[in-house]
Each structure stands twice: as C-alpha cells, then as structure tokens.
Amino acid sequence: MVEIEFQQKTKELIDNLKAICASYGLGNDGNEFKIITQVFLYKFLNDKFAFEIKKINPKLADAERWEDEIAKLSDDDFEMLKLQLGPDTARLKTTHFINHLFNQQNAADFAKLFDDTLMDIAISNNDIYAVVTDSGEKIRLFDRVSEFLTDVSKRDAFCRAIINKLGDFSFERIFTQKFDFYATIFEYLIKDYNSNSGGKYAEYYTPHAVARIMAAILVPEAQRGQIKNASCYDPSAGSGTLLMNVAHAIGENRCSIYTQDISQKSSNLLRLNLILNNLVHSIPNVIQGNTMLHPAHKEQGQLRQFDFIVSNPPFKMDFSDFRDQLDSKENKARFFAGIPNVPKQATDKMAIYQLFLQHIIHSLKATGKAAVVVPTGFITAQSGIDKAIRQKLVDEKMLAGVVSMPSNIFATTGTNVSILFIDATNKADVVLIDASNLGEKIKDGKNQKTVLKDEEEQRIIDVFNHKQVQDDFSVVVSYAQIQEKNYSLSAGQYFDVKIEFVDITPEKFAEKMKGFTDNLDSLFNQSRELEVEIKKQLANLDYD
C-alpha cells in the first residue's frame, strides 16, 4: 500500500510541475524536461538528506519539524553530523532546505534566490554529482531554472509556484524501496522526453522486457549475491535502463557503472537514474562524448576492459564526418572486422552498430560477459563486417547464444532485433532461441508494439540459462555445427524438419487419391470454361 500511495503522489508531483510549466508557456518547450527533472531532483535530494540525517540523530526523527531542530545546532555540530553521512547523500546547508525557500518566497528577487540555492547545491557537491565530458569539462547538477523563462517579470511567480508544490509530501518513507519502484517513477518522469525526436542522435528507450531478459541471463539467479566489485559498462548508455537492471541483479553495492553517450540529455537523465538507484558512487564514471571517436575509459593508456557490458547501440547513423578518423593504426585491433564504408546514396545510413559491437568485444575481459541488441539481419548476413564479427565469436569460442525477439518489441522502430550474448568463458554449446512468435500486439500511440507476458519472459530466461531444447523454439548447438552452417546464428536453420507419417490402409489411400483426382478434374473443367468465356469477351471488344 505504501508503494502504491507514493507512486501516486510522485506522479501527481510530476504532473503538477508539468502543469506549472504549461501555465507559464513552457509546455513542450525544449527546456521543459530540464526544469521537471531538476526540480524533481532538488526535492529528492532534500528528502534523502532528511532520511539519512534522522537515522544518525534519532532526536531529529522525533521532532515535529526537523529543520527547526537542526537550526538549533551549532555550526560545528551540524558539520559533524554531515560528516557521518554516506557518500551518496548530498551535503546540504540549512539554506538549501525546501522549508527555508518556502519561508522566503515573498522576498524580493525570489527567482534569483531559488536559482542561487540550486547552483550552490551543485557547486558544493560537484565532486559527487558532476558528469564529465570526453574533454574533461564538468557538467553541474543544476542550471538556473528560472532563466528558462524568457519573461523576466514572471520568474518570481514561476519559482513560487514550484516551491509551493514541493512540500506536500516527503519521499522519506519510501527510501527503503528498491529498483522496481524507482524504475516505474523514472519511466513516468521521462516518458515525454526520451523518445525518437528525429534528430541526428535520437534516443530509443529500451523496453524493460529486453533489459530484464539481458540481466537475468548475464547474472543468473544462482549467482546473485556472490559477485563482488564488478565493472559494468555501456558505450551507448542512453538513460541507463540496461545498466540499472544489471546493477540490480548484481547488487548496487557490489558493482560500479561505467558509461559513455554522445547525448547531453541522455547523460543528464542517466545521472538522475543513478541517483534514484543508489549508484551515486558511479556518477564520476559517466562520460558525455563520442565513444567511437574518443573512448574515455582507459587504464594505462589502453581501453579499459569490463566484467559485464550491455548495449542497445544505434543501428543506423551517419558518421561519415568522422569515419576516416577511425581508420587509424591504433584502431586496427578495436575494429578488427573493418569500418563501414560511406554509402553511395547520401540518404543511406551507415551501420554504426558494427563499430559498437567490435568495440564491445575489444572491451570485454577474458572472463567477461556481454549482451548486445543487434538487428536480426546481423545473425545471418553471409558477407562483410557482420559475418567477420560472427566468425571471430565462433572461432575463438566466446559466444553464449542469441535470442531472436518478436517484431515491434521496440515501438519506435520496425527493425527486427535479436539479443547477442557473448561469454568469453563459454567453450562448449551455444543456445539459439527463436522467440519471434511470442508476445501480444498492442497500440502504443501511433505505433504498434509487441509486449511479452511475464511467463514468456521467464520461458526465454529459463530455456537459455538451462540450455533447454524445445521444438520450434530453441536449439543447443556446438561451435562446429555453427561453422558448418556458414556461421549462421538463426535458430530456425537448426530446427529438425519433421515429416508426419499416418498409418493408412491401401483401400483408404486409393480412396483419398481418387478424391484428389476428382477435385483436380473439376478444377480443370472450370478452368477450360473460364478460358472459353474470356475469349468470347475479348472477341466482343471494339476499337472506338
């Protein structure tokens, strides 16, 4: 009941903030998502601070107004209290509290006070929360929110409207909840802002079914709680859906997240996702930049290698403006299968997923595992870079298997996709699953998408993890068999062809054959009659 109540209250808060933006002319504005997410985050950090500080000092928890009790502390006592906070909690001053701003809302230049408060929180906690670009520049947690409103005369009222919505409830009672609660809230928070906008670097929201399947196969139930100090990487992280699922499976305190994404919007959303999911310690590893051109995560001058890698890379994107820079001596090992050529037709897009897939293989530890979303055409292509990548995975025995997903599992693209599972330790059999017939078709706005039922998700996970063979659904094959099939990873090409035999007497057989013959004679007679009729009709046609 508590979780349902807080989901409702949280969604009401988000809707209220959107309504405020709309009433001040910022609805569907390019900056609306920054305002919504940053104000939501300010509220979240305040309540998290209150939750943690009350655990340290129970007297604060018993007080009717904890802010008033803190105000009674000396500066030294307050600082000592903050020193006991964990590393994932923002260090706030009393002037940063929502309660303080609420009491100051009638002051002159309230918008400036509101913005100054957010900026001071960002500066004070820059080492914890700043996202870094590939050139080393730090992107702070907050912007000056009121300045997104161009009408200066309305900024004070705009900020007053916001602060009046932030004190209606507290997140404190929900901080014991884990991923499932925050995944729902995060998706609701960003649902209008993380879609394919048609731009050059359009983000695609990875369906939770795909993310859950990837995590459950990479980290089977039996291994949970046993993995320690794991490094988890996504070179095209987006808002982090895949990584959150893997981190949840491993345990947030047992892994560190490493990411890179060219989109500033995605990097900011990912930072928010890490904060919501107790992964603040990984924020310094969030890099905004071009992974292919400037891979940021290195050790001793070499690309860092990781325990787990997950990715839903872009399938088609024009990278001709930096394609030739990739074709260098230092990239020979990374792009072992080659770099796509610039298409002859300007409208054709380049298969950038081929670069990401090679980068992932090169970035995987010898004991590492990876799961990558690829277009289904990749698993059967008989030439070029796709086949060369498959050959490496098979010949070097570092493949776990493939799951071919139903069409329209992504509502935003009609491309059929498969999940490629790489496991450098799997030297035996490979699992191939054809899940293309699973799921239910539903409308998602103007698009149609396929939704898997819980039991269908579990079927895929169980069949893969237990290497089960099911008729017309899954096969378990050797590396030698894959080589014999010209490196095809399509499950259907390995299914047995079954011929059904029916026990029948000679008399019954003769009767059936006579029935077939009589039926054919009837059809032939009809055909001859139609032929005569057509010729008659043609003879009656005149040129006029």
Side-chain angles (χ1 to χ4, degrees), residues 250-522:
I250 295 170
E252 295 85 354
N253 61 342
R254 294 173 173 267
C255 65
S256 293
I257 301 297
Y258 295 81
T259 75
Q260 192 162 348
D261 197 287
I262 200 166
S263 165
Q264 181 173 321
K265 180 174 80 171
S266 291
S267 298
N268 284 331
L269 290 173
L270 172 59
R271 171 169 54 186
L272 173 59
N273 215 354
L274 292 172
I275 291 170
L276 292 181
N277 284 286
N278 292 322
L279 287 159
V280 171
H281 62 274
S282 291
I283 291 177
N285 305 327
V286 174
I287 306 296
Q288 182 209 318
N290 186 328
T291 308
M292 295 300 97
L293 192 57
H294 302 296
H297 297 293
K298 297 183 178 182
E299 285 182 321
Q300 299 177 343
Q302 302 296 315
L303 284 186
R304 183 178 182 129
Q305 293 187 308
F306 301 92
D307 297 301
F308 296 93
I309 304 178
V310 287
S311 185
N312 173 24
F315 288 177
K316 292 183 178 181
M317 191 180 84
D318 181 4
F319 59 94
S320 56
D321 52 346
F322 62 86
R323 188 259 175 214
D324 291 344
Q325 292 174 258
L326 300 176
D327 197 3
S328 61
K329 195 173 183 180
E330 65 258 27
N331 275 330
K332 287 293 182 186
R334 183 163 66 129
F335 301 128
F336 56 87
I339 299 169
N341 292 318
V342 177
K344 292 179 181 178
Q345 296 292 329
T347 54
D348 292 341
K349 300 294 184 181
M350 300 168 76
I352 194 170
Y353 74 87
Q354 295 173 338
L355 294 180
F356 274 96
L357 187 48
Q358 293 177 80
H359 172 81
I360 287 165
I361 293 168
H362 189 67
S363 301
L364 196 62
K365 284 184 179 179
T367 55
K369 296 181 179 181
V372 189
V373 179
V374 295
T376 293
F378 163 82
I379 67 176
T380 55
Q382 289 305 301
S383 61
I385 294 172
D386 285 341
K387 186 178 180 184
I389 294 172
R390 298 201 314 272
Q391 280 184 280
K392 179 180 177 71
L393 294 174
V394 172
D395 291 348
E396 297 186 16
K397 295 185 176 179
M398 53 188 303
L399 182 65
V402 172
V403 178
S404 295
M405 300 298 287
S407 61
N408 299 114
I409 197 76
F410 288 80
T412 49
T413 174
T415 305
N416 288 339
V417 304
S418 295
I419 309 173
L420 177 71
F421 290 93
I422 303 168
D423 183 350
T425 68
N426 183 47
K427 305 303 180 185
D429 297 328
V430 174
V431 184
L432 303 177
I433 294 177
D434 181 2
S436 60
N437 293 320
L438 300 185
E440 178 186 1
K441 306 287 185 188
I442 65 168
K443 289 289 287 181
D444 183 18
K446 296 179 181 178
N447 301 312
Q448 185 182 63
K449 71 175 181 180
T450 303
V451 177
L452 293 176
K453 299 174 184 174
D454 291 345
E455 56 269 27
E456 291 175 324
E457 280 184 44
Q458 197 59 49
R459 180 188 180 191
I460 293 170
I461 293 163
D462 290 342
V463 165
F464 197 105
N465 285 342
H466 297 112
K467 292 191 173 184
Q468 297 172 354
V469 176
Q470 294 186 3
D471 286 349
D472 298 326
F473 183 72
S474 66
V475 291
V476 178
V477 296
S478 68
Y479 284 109
Q481 285 176 288
I482 296 174
Q483 289 168 334
E484 289 169 9
K485 288 282 188 181
N486 209 16
Y487 297 93
S488 172
L489 302 180
S490 172
Q493 293 195 22
Y494 298 86
F495 290 155
D496 291 332
V497 177
K498 294 183 176 64
I499 300 174
E500 289 189 16
F501 293 92
V502 180
D503 204 5
I504 190 170
T505 64
E507 292 78 12
K508 282 283 185 185
F509 178 77
E511 184 182 333
K512 277 184 175 289
M513 291 304 294
K514 185 177 185 305
F516 293 147
T517 302
D518 291 346
N519 190 38
L520 280 172
D521 287 343
S522 174

